[in-house]
Every structure is written in C-alpha cells, then in structure tokens.
Amino acid sequence: MLRTALRNLLAHKARLAMTVLAVCLGVAFVSGTLVFADSSAAAHRAAASKGFAGVAVTVTPKDPPDAPPGEERTNVLDDALVRKLAAVPGVAAARPTADGSATLSAADGTPLRAGRARANLGAAHVPDGNGEDGRYPLVEGRAPRSGDEIAVDAGTAAAGRYRLGDTVTLATDGPVMTKRLVGTVATKDTRVTAGGTLALFDRATAQQLFASPGRYTGIDLTAAPGTGQAELAGRVASVLPAGRAEATTGAAQAAQQALYVATLTRGHAKLPLVFAGVSLFIGSFLIVNTFTMLVTRRTREIALLRAIGASRRQVAGSVLAEAALLGLVASAAGFLLGLGVAAVLPGLLGTAQDALPDGPLVIGPRPVVAALGVGVGVTVLAAWLPSRRAARVAPVEAMRSAQQPPSATRSRIRAAAGLVLLVLGVGLLVSLSGVEDASEQNLQDAMLASGILLVALIVLAPLLAAPVIRLAGRPTGRFGPVGHLARENALRDPRRTAATASALMISTALVAGLAVVGNSTAQALDRQAAAGLGADYVIGTRTPTTGIDPAAVERVAATAGVRTAAAVADVPVFIGGGVRQIAGVDPAAVDAVMRLDFTGGSAEDLGPGRIAVSATLAREQGLAAGDRIEARLGRGYEPRPYTVVGVYRDNPAAGDALGDLGEVRRSGFLPDSVQRILVRTDDGAASDAVAERLRTAVGANPLLKVQDRAALVHEAAGSVGELLTLMYGLLAIGVVISALGIVNTLAMSVSERTREIGVLRAIGMDRAGVRRMIRLEAVIVAAFGTLLGLVGGVFSAWAVGSLANGAMAQYSFVPPWGTLLAVCLLSLVIGAAAAVVPARRAAALSPLRAVASA
C-alpha cells in the first residue's frame, strides 16, 4: 500500500503541485516567522553584549524603601564615590556616566528617529587618560567640550542629514535647546542601533541635564584580569552606601537591555503568523477538495484493491500516506521559502524610526519541527475525510460506477448540522448587536460568533450551491448554450463546487468584515477627532512626562494670525474609586476653543474648588449641577470636596471633567506647565504659514507637536491603516490560494469530462466555445464563493458594530461600497484568470480521441 501511495503521488505530480504550493505558503510564513524571531533575538543579545563589553559591574542610585512620598531623593553617585570604587580590589577602572533622554529635532520639527523603540538617549562624554571615551569612539570631528556643543552617533547624523558645524535643535524634558555639532561617534548600544538616537554632551552639561551638578546617573566598573563579575559585584556592594546605591553585573545589564528591545519589537512576529494561519486554513480546503477528487477519480482502482483483499484501514492508510508524503514535500519547500521570508522581514518590518538589528539567520530546531508539524499535520488532517470516504467504497458498487452521489442520510446530517451552527452563530451575533460594551469578553464572543457563522456557511455551502448558483449564474444565459452548460457544470457536483469556492468565501468574508469595520472606524475617528473642538490647531506634548512652559503660551498668543490661544492642563483626577482625566481651562477662553454643550450649569462658574463633569461621568456617579463630590487632583495627597457647577455632553476635547486652569496646573506632576494649547486663528482656517509660525513660537521643540484638524484625524486613524494592511494581506493570500483551487478543480474536471467535451466538439462547438464554457464555469464558482463571503463578513461587521459604538460614540455602520465592489470584481477576474490554462487544455482536446477515451 505504501508503494501504491507513492505511485499515485508520482502519477499526479502536476495536479498535486497546486496543493503543495498552498501548503508551502503557510509553512513558509510559520517557519520564516520563527526563524526571524530567533535571529532577531540573537541579534539583540549580540548587540547588547557588544554594548556592555568590558563593563563588569554598573552602580546606579537607589531610592531607600522607607522614603516617604514626595521626599527629595539624594543622589550619592559623585566623584568621591568614583574614587572609592576605583580602589576596590579587582576593579581595573571606574568610569562615571550621566545618561538620560534627549530628543533631537528633524528638519521639519518632528522628533528624529522616534519610533516604537523610543530610545532617544543623551549621555556624557567622559574621556579617559588618553582623552577618549571607549564607549563612544570618534568617527569624525571631536568630543564636546562646553555646554553649547554636542556630538551624535553616525546613524543619527545620517538620518538627520547633520554635518559638522550645524546647529542641532533638541530637548530633554523642558524648553528647546540648540547646540553646535562638533563630532560623530560610533556606538554598540542596542537601544540606539535598534532605531534610537544618541546625543553626547560634555560632563558638566550632562550632569546638569540628567542628574545634578557634580552627580552621576551611573558608574561603570571594569574588572581586573582573573576577577569574575559576580565576585566583583559582591565586593562593590559591600562599600556602597546602604540603601542608596546598588551594583548590577554587566551580563545582567546586557540581558535586561536585550529583553527590553526584543519586547518592543515582539509585535513584528504577529502579522506573519496571522497570514500563516489564514493561508493554512484556506489551503486546507484545497487539500480536501484535491484528495476528494482524486479519490473519486480512483474509485475503480480502490474497488480493485478492495476486491483483491485490501482492508478499509489499508485503503484509508494509503490515502493518508499519500497526504503525508505530500506534506513532507510541501514542508521542505515551505521551509526553504521560509528562509527567504525570514531574510526579507527585517527590511519590511523595520523602518528608519524602528530599525531591526542586523545578524545572521539562526536556524534552530523549533522552526524545523514547526515546518514539519504544520505541513504534514495540516495535510494529513485535511485528507482524513477523503480517506474515510475512500475506505467506505464497496468493491462491487464501485466497480459498477465511478461516481457515487452522497447519500440522503449524509445530506440530511449536513443540513441539520449547518442549520444548528447557522442559528447559533446568527443568534450570538444578534444578541451582541444590542450590547454597547467593548469589553474583552464581548469582543471574544463576537469573534467566536463570527467564526461559527463562517463554519456554518462552509457546512451549508453544498446545499446552498444550487439556488445561489442558479441565481448568480443567470447572466451567463446571455452566452446561449455555452452559458447554460457552464452553469450546469458548476451544479454537477455541489460538494466539489462548494469546496472550491470555500477558500474564496473565507478570504472574502475576512476582507469584507475588516473593510466595513475599518471604514466605519475611520469615519468615526474623523468625527471624533474634530468633535467638540472649536480650535483650528492643537499644540500638544509627545510624551506624558513633558510640559509646555508658560512663556511658550505667551509667544503663541502673540503670534500673527492667532485670535485665541487657550492653555489646557491635563492631569489625572481620582473620583468615585476610578481614575479619570480633568482638563484645567480658563473659563473666559474655553468657549472660543471648545464646543461645549451644557445640559446644566455652565463653564463660566469654573474656579478653585468648582468643576464641570461630562454626561457619562455624571451618569456613573449620579451627579447633577450643584452637587458636591470628593476628588483628588494629580499629585495631591488628600481628596477634597468639589462643587459640580455644570454637566456637558461628552466631548473628546474636554475629557471627563473641566477644572480651573490655575488649580489643575498646580496639582500636575510638572507644576506650572500645561499639556495643550488650543489655538483659534483669525480667519478660522489652517494654513502652512500659520503652522510654521506656531512651530517657531514653541521653539521648534521636538517634544511638542503642532496639529491642525486634518493631522488630528490622521493620527487618530493610525490603527485603521494597520487594519487595512492586514486586510489587503489577507485578500492577497486568499486570492492566491483560491486561484490555485480553481485551477486544480477545473483541471481535474476537464480530465473527467474528456469524453463529454469530445462530444460537444463533435456536434459543432468550436474551440472558442469550449474555452468560454470553462471560463464561465470558473466565474460562476468564484461568484458563488464571493457572494457567501460578502454576506457573512458584512453581517458580522454589522452585528458587532454596537460594541464599537460603546467604545466610540461616533461609530456607525458605514459599508465601503467601492471597496466591496472592487473585491467582487477582483474575485470574478481571478476566477476567469484561473480558468485560462484548463480552458486552453480543454479546447486542445481532439474530438475523435476524446470520444474514444475510456
């Protein structure tokens, strides 16, 4: 039986090649992603190890555990401690460091290379006896020597197009600064090589920016030959001030840094794995269909094997062995293709703002085992049903007929199971359609219900084939007898047609659902970003630890073309056992920059001890204008009573509550600073000239962003762009595998109908008519799968729309009709294109030989 399986595999090489390719795609994504993850982790570890080469122990300041909140911390890392540590036995050298965060400005005022890694480092250049800092070897120029000079790493200089002598704009945690670039350096710090920036200052300037005059943020110790890191760390710890500093080995530091960067880039592996799962799931239908057709075609052969003594188990085993061999071939090919995927992923996923470290491909046992397990496992599992069908073939009955229609009992069981799943899926989705709570549990229930609905459509597809295809295939009647024959050929074997269309149905359902959700979300974000905002520009901070100083607010207000500049201080407010956000505003200016709709009270009564709350917060806490409530603002230690002077309809620009600007600003974590400036222009419109003047007014600070309404919408819709990328990727995978399935099915169908095609040619159908018939059949099958997919995907998106409405009040169901139409047309084109080769092959058949074929 094993030889039989091998012979059958070799006898159908061309037909099985399509199946191999479908499995190969899924295996390539899985193995390639795993190789990429292992290689990326190894590159991170190697880069971190290089960055800490020569550092045996690092000493850092430590807050005492018994320090009361708000107490001023005392940094004990000074020059005296440096000298003390240098004298510890086993210490070869002690080098102090003063590190922090420094964000450089690009030419357009945006932060330079500030991606997800967000490692915008600032450090002190600490020269040794030779006048060099071994951590940052000079590439060009010299090291900074005064407070108005700076050096950067070579990668940052290239990204910012800086040249020696240029003026560099940067900020640490406050006002913008300008420094003159005097040198470029190299660095092995993985936080920088993974997409960050490095700015070097002279020692005194770095101490003032990141620690305090005469103090350091760390001390790196080099071990003498023969001294281990753990041993040296123990000696150093014994001489450190108790509870004020701690010692960490260089190896531990490198491991921690590698883990930090790897964690930031961990999401890179998710998207390829999603594609892998979808391609394998869709490809499994191609495998089922291929083996079902092969089993049907070899019914006489199976009957003969049964007649000469082969058992059902042997027949089923032969089919599964054939699938296993096919899976091995697909796994090997997929693994090789996966190496190519792993090689190109860093270039596709990395950007100038979020680069990935370079390194060789690391091929461990995990990707190899995964490739074999996935390829062989999916193929064998998909071939299990066809193998059982083959084992049920009765010798005498099979010898009599090469095709056996499904029994009525099996059809009834399929119908009952499909209806149960359909009712369950639709019921769950309808029950969720009235729930406005986007909790994790509800989202999981929605995904489960959508999956059940999709499975129900797959189960019911053979039963739906006849009515749907007769309806969708009506336009083919315009092609006369050829169109009629194409429609009847598609209906000849509903199970085969359904299995062929299922791949396209799945991809279409995914794409349609994501397209509807993406379009509805994008429009909701558009409305939300501008909702409640009367200002034409918003100047805000890029990080929560940054504030805007009052001088910048005054400069913005004095800018030409600005009518109103209202400062807003945003701090947390602890109210009713939860954490909310309160915006401190000037009551005299708030109406000019916010569109507030009060249902009770007004903003005019805001002041110290008086707040206004949103309708949602009022409803949750049972508040109305005139009520009093206990609340704690920002870094305040004790709650205090506040009077509610007004309730306004939910407003994204205002947030959960409004308070007095002065009171809120004083309670912030950055006292006397604000987090936003809402700007109203003279003509009520945005322009490039005004935006440039506003950027100049805030000193082109890279920690601040100047956005008009369009920019706010674009930023809010950033996640939708990722959703659309996923959508088009899934569509591409579905289209490729669906095309392979249609080609495979039509190729086998043409082979089965050789005599029939010969008769058609003999009675007068020309070659063009045969080609047209096969192409129309493919288009009908594609239309069937597309129609079911659209119904399932759009219905699921509609049903779960209320969940999105609960998280986003402006959300509404808005189908992207243009995109859905494009998906339909693409599916029909793919169906027609997939039929080119089978149609040409059918038209090339000789009528006499076809009629005479056995």
Side-chain angles (χ1 to χ4, degrees), residues 75-108:
N75 188 343
V76 299
L77 305 188
D78 54 12
D79 289 320
L81 183 59
V82 174
R83 291 191 293 270
K84 184 177 181 180
L85 293 176
V88 172
V91 174
R95 182 188 299 274
T97 61
D99 301 339
S101 175
T103 304
L104 282 70
S105 177
D108 60 355

Side-chain angles (χ1 to χ4, degrees), residues 59 84 104 168 193 227 256 258 284 297 390-391 426 459 487 505 541 551 558 588 671 685 693 702 736 740 854:
V59 176
K84 184 177 181 180
L104 282 70
V168 178
T193 58
T227 304
Q256 182 179 5
S284 65
R297 185 164 175 77
V426 172
V459 174
R487 185 171 65 248
M505 179 181 70
T541 61
R693 289 197 292 268
V736 170
L740 295 177

Side-chain angles (χ1 to χ4, degrees), residues 27 30-32 34-36 38 335 362-372:
V27 173
V30 171
S31 60
L34 294 178
V35 171
F36 161 71
D38 291 345
F335 183 77
V362 177
I363 304 175
R366 188 174 64 150
V368 177
V369 172
L372 291 174

Side-chain angles (χ1 to χ4, degrees), residues 314-496:
Q314 287 178 315
V315 171
S318 174
V319 176
L320 292 178
E322 188 175 342
L325 292 172
L326 183 70
L328 281 173
V329 174
S331 297
F335 183 77
L336 294 177
L337 183 60
L339 296 181
V341 171
V344 301
L345 276 178
L348 294 175
L349 299 177
T351 64
Q353 289 76 31
D354 193 10
L356 298 177
D358 294 328
L361 292 181
V362 177
I363 304 175
R366 188 174 64 150
V368 177
V369 172
L372 291 174
V374 169
V376 177
V378 169
T379 308
V380 172
L381 186 62
W384 180 70
L385 284 176
S387 71
R388 285 175 56 87
R389 189 173 300 151
R392 287 196 298 264
V393 173
V396 175
E397 185 178 359
M399 295 284 279
R400 186 185 318 123
S401 174
Q403 288 205 5
Q404 295 176 314
S407 66
T409 301
R410 267 191 236 127
S411 297
R412 285 194 294 268
I413 294 175
R414 174 186 283 270
L419 287 175
V420 169
L421 290 173
L422 183 64
V423 171
L424 181 60
V426 172
L428 285 174
L429 287 172
V430 171
S431 66
L432 289 170
S433 64
V435 178
E436 294 188 0
D437 180 12
S439 64
E440 183 177 354
Q441 183 60 50
N442 285 337
L443 291 175
Q444 291 177 354
D445 292 343
M447 292 177 63
L448 175 62
S450 299
I452 293 174
L453 175 61
L454 188 59
V455 172
L457 292 177
I458 293 172
V459 174
L460 291 173
L463 305 177
L464 296 173
V468 174
I469 287 178
R470 291 192 187 282
L471 176 64
R474 282 186 177 180
T476 61
R478 297 182 178 181
F479 294 90
V482 171
H484 176 75
L485 286 173
R487 185 171 65 248
E488 294 305 315
N489 286 335
L491 292 171
R492 177 176 299 185
D493 190 341
R495 289 183 302 174
R496 177 186 300 180

